[in-house]
């Protein structure tokens, strides 16, 4: 018996798929913005020279990088509930994804900051710049520029990994796909469509980061350096 594909029953639910894709992008946006902020402070902490601060940030990074994202989501979800704090699945998912990507962003940022030559820092000190000014003008922005491609790739991976938040009933794209296939019994067609939507979302995010890179780092545009 040959395989007969019927995508019509899946595409008829295009509004639900669109809503799921939109929520997926919302989760990714929140986690990227907040995770990037954590990454900057984490990288600064990892380079602070204070042993306690460095160890605390190091423990955070290692704890996140050596545990599955799904387990982290469950820890946040059930941990907050055990404390008597009730939040929506969307909020819990956003918090868990932020904590996760913050750890990876911390290490990427630290690599970028460490790549700044000491001579540039010494020159800035010689000009009388404060430590905050040196970090902002000499370390943070040039450092981010150097690791921007790695950051954007990590953020796209985060968007794809957000699919596991369906396990706590966050109404993102994979959760919607689960509902559709349970209603239509067209699992293969459903997940083909959803896979194509994820590919489209990845390209949308990469294009958005490319435009953002051109705006943040015009020197790369002048030099023709790829983002």
């Amino acid at each position: 018996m040959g395989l007969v594909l019927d995508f019509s029953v899946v595409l008829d639910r295009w509004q639900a798929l669109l809503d799921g894709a939109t929520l997926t992008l919302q989760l990714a946006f929140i986690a990227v913005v907040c995770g990037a902020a954590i990454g900057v402070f984490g990288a600064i902490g990892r380079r602070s020279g204070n042993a306690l601060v460095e160890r605390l940030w190091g423990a955070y990074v290692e704890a996140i990088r050596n545990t599955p994202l799904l387990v982290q989501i469950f820890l946040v979800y059930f941990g907050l509930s055990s404390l008597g704090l009730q939040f929506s699945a969307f909020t819990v998912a956003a918090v868990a994804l932020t904590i996760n990507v913050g750890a990876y962003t911390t290490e990427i940022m630290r690599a970028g900051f460490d790549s700044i030559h000491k001579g540039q820092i010494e020159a800035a000190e010689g000009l009388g710049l404060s430590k905050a000014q040196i970090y902002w003008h000499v370390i943070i922005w040039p450092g981010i520029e150097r690791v921007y491609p790695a950051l954007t790739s990590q953020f796209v991976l985060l968007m794809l990994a957000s699919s596991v938040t369906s396990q706590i009933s966050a109404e993102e794209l994979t959760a919607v796909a689960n509902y559709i296939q349970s209603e239509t019994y067209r699992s293969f067609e459903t997940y083909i469509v959803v896979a194509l939507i994820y590919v489209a979302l990845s390209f949308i995010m990469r294009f958005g980061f490319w435009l953002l890179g051109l705006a943040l780092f015009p020197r790369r545009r002048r030099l023709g350096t790829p983002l």
Side-chain angles (χ1 to χ4, degrees):
M1 183 176 179
L3 175 65
V4 179
L5 299 177
D6 182 9
F7 290 95
S8 61
V9 293
V10 178
L11 297 178
D12 284 344
R13 292 161 173 78
W14 65 269
Q15 185 62 59
L17 292 169
L18 179 60
D19 291 342
T22 301
L23 193 128
T24 294
L25 288 177
Q26 290 174 348
L27 280 174
F29 177 79
I30 293 171
V32 164
V33 172
C34 298
I38 291 174
V40 170
F41 288 108
I44 293 173
R46 293 274 274 167
R47 306 175 71 256
S48 65
N50 184 300
L52 178 59
V53 172
E54 290 181 0
R55 287 175 182 173
L56 288 174
W57 278 108
Y60 159 63
V61 170
E62 292 303 318
I64 296 301
R65 294 202 304 178
N66 290 287
T67 53
L69 174 58
L70 183 57
V71 172
Q72 297 164 21
I73 292 172
F74 284 154
L75 285 173
V76 175
Y77 185 69
F78 294 111
L80 291 176
S81 297
S82 65
L83 294 175
L85 302 174
Q86 299 296 326
F87 294 99
S88 67
F90 177 87
T91 301
V92 173
V95 170
L97 291 174
T98 296
I99 293 172
N100 179 271
V101 78
Y104 288 94
T105 305
T106 293
E107 287 302 280
I108 296 173
M109 294 279 196
R110 183 167 71 98
F113 296 172
D114 287 345
S115 70
I116 304 299
H117 196 277
K118 290 183 179 180
Q120 294 178 265
I121 299 174
E122 292 171 356
E125 291 172 344
L127 292 173
L129 271 66
S130 67
K131 190 170 183 178
Q133 290 175 320
I134 292 173
Y135 250 106
W136 182 255
H137 296 289
V138 181
I139 299 177
I140 291 179
W141 281 111
I144 292 176
E145 181 178 2
R146 294 185 181 187
V147 296
Y148 190 71
L151 283 173
T152 58
S153 295
Q154 185 62 50
F155 294 152
V156 172
L157 289 174
L158 167 76
M159 182 274 294
L160 298 175
S162 68
S163 60
V164 300
T165 62
S166 62
Q167 296 298 309
I168 58 170
S169 300
E171 300 289 334
E172 48 74 59
L173 185 56
T174 298
V176 171
N178 293 338
Y179 296 144
I180 291 175
Q181 67 88 21
S182 66
E183 293 175 352
T184 63
Y185 300 101
R186 289 288 178 178
S187 302
F188 191 44
E189 293 93 327
T190 299
Y191 290 112
I192 287 176
V193 171
V194 168
L196 292 175
I197 294 174
Y198 273 116
V199 171
L201 294 180
S202 296
F203 278 109
I204 290 171
M205 286 189 66
R206 290 183 186 278
F207 181 69
F209 284 126
W210 177 72
L211 293 177
L212 180 63
L214 292 180
L216 293 177
F217 312 116
R219 186 173 66 88
R220 280 180 175 258
R221 180 173 52 189
R222 293 196 301 269
L223 296 176
T225 305
L227 293 169

